[in-house]
Amino acid sequence: METSVIDIQQILEEVEEHLKKGIIPFWLKKGFDNHYGGYFTCFDAEGSLGDDTDKYIVTQCRMIWAFSAFYQLYPKDKELLVMAEQGVNFLLDHFWDHEHGGWYWKVKRDGTLIDPGKVVYGQSFAIYALSQFYQVTKDPIALDCAEKTYNLLQIYCCDTLNGGYYENLEHDWQVSAEGFCGGDRKSLDVHMHLLEAFTVLAQCSQKEHHKRKLQEIIDLILNHMINHEDGCGRNQFNREFMPIPAISIRRTWNAERQGSQKIDEPRDTTSYGHNLELVWLLNRAVEVLGLPKHSFYELTRKIAYHTLKFGYDIELGGVYRDGPHQGAAYITDKEFWQNQEALVGFLDAYEILNDDKMLTAFKKTWEFSKKYLINWKQGEWRQLVDKEGNALIGDLGNPWKACYHSGRSMLEVKQRLEQILVLVNE
């Protein structure tokens, strides 16, 4: 399948329309809790608010990040800024632990504490959201809170013996119990999101120690968390970074995720969407660190081709959920976030590798997403479809799903398509 300049222009227009007439108005209209502040995140297939109105640190911060990023793109729309500001206010009022420092995991709709756990995944999104908010407002309180969170991670979560970070801790920063509570495990997932958070923090602060920590976590991921021979990310590790079969862990998406297909026994799996997300996040970090653009050329090549070989549906388009390091995917359902990140990752790989197969994979994944994953009437993405596109979970939001993956992917895709058009028209 050839992809022409006309195709790229058409997709760019579709993406812009999806942003301006779908994702942004959906969350502007439905996401604001105008009684208590903060955000609603749970919506059914028809866009109606669900019964679950509890608020997780992860999705509250994802919404702050998204509205800040939308405002950065559309600065004339002050409603976007208002939505971000009220989210920050709710976050500061109800999630911050004034005794021990750091951010609680979950509160009720009105801010009453439910789960005081200190999960590094949640702390990373607080850094990410507050840093992004600072980028568009220059609010010193936001940057100060982001830096305080970063400092607490270094004090309480940094594994000074083995490297990396303990990921699951209790309210007083004691490491959680082993097994399902996750105190004895580390993951690519959490360390990748720390990479994401440290990138924006370093960009905002321009402090050398933030840049050094960013480089440190990049090196850790490259040295311990990637299967360079097969060309994919690993999943879970013990404290010494020995890969171990992945299990579901408390307070994670995998433990709460719904779906028709499951992996019944612990295995050393890889996530195709995560792998492509990691590629473009690494390439973004390069910009902040001032490194050569093609610093991760070889890793980009390996991961992109691994995905095309094992995780990409060459017939219908789209990427599958999970699979082994070598061989066919274990789970062929197609999930919202994996395909949203794949869109960005395939375009990033095309820019780095200059291989038309990546552009074709992007186009076919977009065509599949348009037809089956996006609910055009409501403006958001369905949670999960099967290989052929039949809806398995039509919900448009849940405690983990807001407009972070959907909004960010469209922002990133828009930027990349514009760059490609500039290059081909020169």
Side-chain angles (χ1 to χ4, degrees):
M1 176 188 296
E2 294 184 356
T3 304
S4 67
V5 175
I6 295 175
D7 291 331
I8 295 171
Q9 182 62 52
Q10 179 183 335
I11 295 173
L12 175 59
E13 292 172 1
E14 292 169 349
V15 165
E16 289 179 323
E17 180 180 8
H18 183 36
L19 262 176
K20 291 192 288 187
K21 297 183 179 180
I23 293 172
I24 293 176
F26 177 92
W27 292 101
L28 273 177
K29 180 181 178 181
K30 298 175 182 290
F32 176 41
D33 182 347
N34 60 9
H35 189 76
Y36 292 107
Y39 307 101
F40 295 123
T41 61
C42 297
F43 297 95
D44 67 16
E46 303 304 319
S48 298
L49 182 65
D51 294 332
D52 187 352
T53 56
D54 293 342
K55 294 168 181 174
Y56 287 54
I57 181 69
V58 173
T59 25
Q60 296 300 301
C61 286
R62 286 176 168 181
M63 294 286 282
I64 292 168
W65 181 91
F67 280 113
S68 300
F70 296 155
Y71 179 67
Q72 193 169 32
L73 180 63
Y74 303 113
K76 294 182 180 180
D77 190 344
K78 301 301 181 184
E79 190 176 4
L80 297 171
L81 178 60
V82 170
M83 282 288 281
E85 287 176 332
Q86 68 83 25
V88 170
N89 291 335
F90 186 89
L91 187 74
L92 297 176
D93 289 343
H94 299 293
F95 278 93
W96 183 256
D97 181 346
H98 291 278
E99 180 181 3
H100 299 288
W103 308 92
Y104 298 130
W105 180 245
K106 182 167 65 169
V107 301
K108 292 182 180 179
R109 179 185 172 187
D110 63 2
T112 303
L113 182 61
I114 297 175
D115 185 344
K118 301 291 168 55
V119 185
V120 170
Y121 192 85
Q123 310 302 310
S124 73
F125 274 99
I127 296 172
Y128 190 50
L130 291 166
S131 298
Q132 182 68 29
F133 183 74
Y134 172 79
Q135 275 197 335
V136 298
T137 64
K138 304 305 178 188
D139 182 342
I141 295 176
L143 184 57
D144 181 62
C145 287
E147 292 198 58
K148 282 181 179 177
T149 309
Y150 164 88
N151 291 336
L152 288 166
L153 292 181
Q154 311 316 313
I155 295 169
Y156 294 113
C157 306
C158 189
D159 183 348
T160 55
L161 178 62
N162 301 296
Y165 294 81
Y166 301 113
E167 299 178 0
N168 299 281
L169 303 95
E170 302 309 316
H171 72 283
D172 57 357
W173 298 103
Q174 293 297 309
V175 177
S176 299
E178 298 180 357
F180 179 64
C181 295
D184 57 336
R185 289 180 177 250
K186 295 173 182 173
S187 68
L188 172 58
D189 184 19
V190 169
H191 285 75
M192 183 184 77
H193 286 294
L194 286 172
L195 157 69
E196 168 187 67
F198 290 178
T199 297
V200 184
L201 177 61
Q203 185 180 26
C204 289
S205 75
Q206 290 297 307
K207 292 182 177 179
E208 284 303 314
H209 69 98
H210 291 154
K211 293 181 180 180
R212 287 197 301 270
K213 276 294 179 180
L214 173 57
Q215 183 64 64
E216 179 182 292
I217 205 159
I218 289 172
D219 293 341
L220 182 143
I221 290 171
L222 295 179
N223 292 332
H224 295 293
M225 295 184 157
I226 303 296
N227 181 336
H228 290 276
E229 182 177 351
D230 291 335
C232 62
R234 298 190 184 277
N235 195 330
Q236 291 179 14
F237 313 81
N238 65 15
R239 290 181 178 180
E240 292 77 31
F241 290 103
M242 292 297 296
I244 52 180
I247 63 170
S248 290
I249 296 174
R250 178 181 60 162
R251 303 180 181 127
T252 64
W253 165 244
N254 280 332
E256 300 183 17
R257 165 197 239 163
Q258 298 172 298
S260 63
Q261 294 180 309
K262 295 183 183 299
I263 298 175
D264 295 327
E265 60 186 41
R267 300 186 186 184
D268 191 8
T269 58
T270 195
S271 164
Y272 310 110
H274 255 157
N275 295 342
L276 290 172
E277 183 179 11
L278 175 62
V279 162
W280 78 259
L281 288 174
L282 284 169
N283 290 329
R284 174 63 51 78
V286 160
E287 300 173 15
V288 173
L289 293 173
L291 299 174
K293 179 180 179 181
H294 287 66
S295 294
F296 298 114
Y297 177 93
E298 187 59 21
L299 183 61
T300 300
R301 185 187 68 81
K302 286 181 177 180
I303 284 180
Y305 285 116
H306 179 277
T307 302
L308 285 186
K309 185 174 183 180
F310 298 118
Y312 168 67
D313 186 341
I314 193 170
E315 179 184 359
L316 299 176
V319 294
Y320 305 129
R321 269 183 44 184
D322 301 284
H325 292 196
Q326 286 285 325
Y330 292 140
I331 298 181
T332 57
D333 291 346
K334 296 172 183 175
E335 202 164 36
F336 72 102
W337 70 266
Q338 300 228 19
N339 283 273
Q340 289 160 354
E341 296 300 336
L343 290 169
V344 184
F346 282 137
L347 281 181
D348 216 62
Y350 171 71
E351 290 183 290
I352 297 293
L353 306 177
N354 194 28
D355 185 342
D356 286 343
K357 289 194 289 291
M358 302 301 160
L359 198 55
T360 298
F362 161 79
K363 181 181 178 182
K364 289 192 70 172
T365 299
W366 174 244
E367 291 298 324
F368 182 90
S369 300
K370 277 200 312 180
K371 189 172 183 180
Y372 300 111
L373 277 166
I374 299 175
N375 181 329
W376 289 96
K377 181 178 180 180
Q378 297 298 329
E380 247 295 342
W381 292 52
R382 300 178 177 92
Q383 181 177 325
L384 186 69
V385 300
D386 67 14
K387 183 179 186 295
E388 288 75 30
N390 301 301
L392 299 174
I393 302 176
D395 293 353
L396 305 179
N398 62 41
W400 292 85
K401 181 184 184 298
C403 54
Y404 155 74
H405 284 294
S406 59
R408 188 177 69 170
S409 67
M410 295 300 96
L411 292 173
E412 294 289 339
V413 165
K414 177 180 183 299
Q415 180 184 50
R416 283 162 174 76
L417 293 178
E418 288 171 343
Q419 291 171 345
I420 291 170
L421 285 174
V422 169
L423 291 175
V424 298
N425 287 323
E426 285 182 348

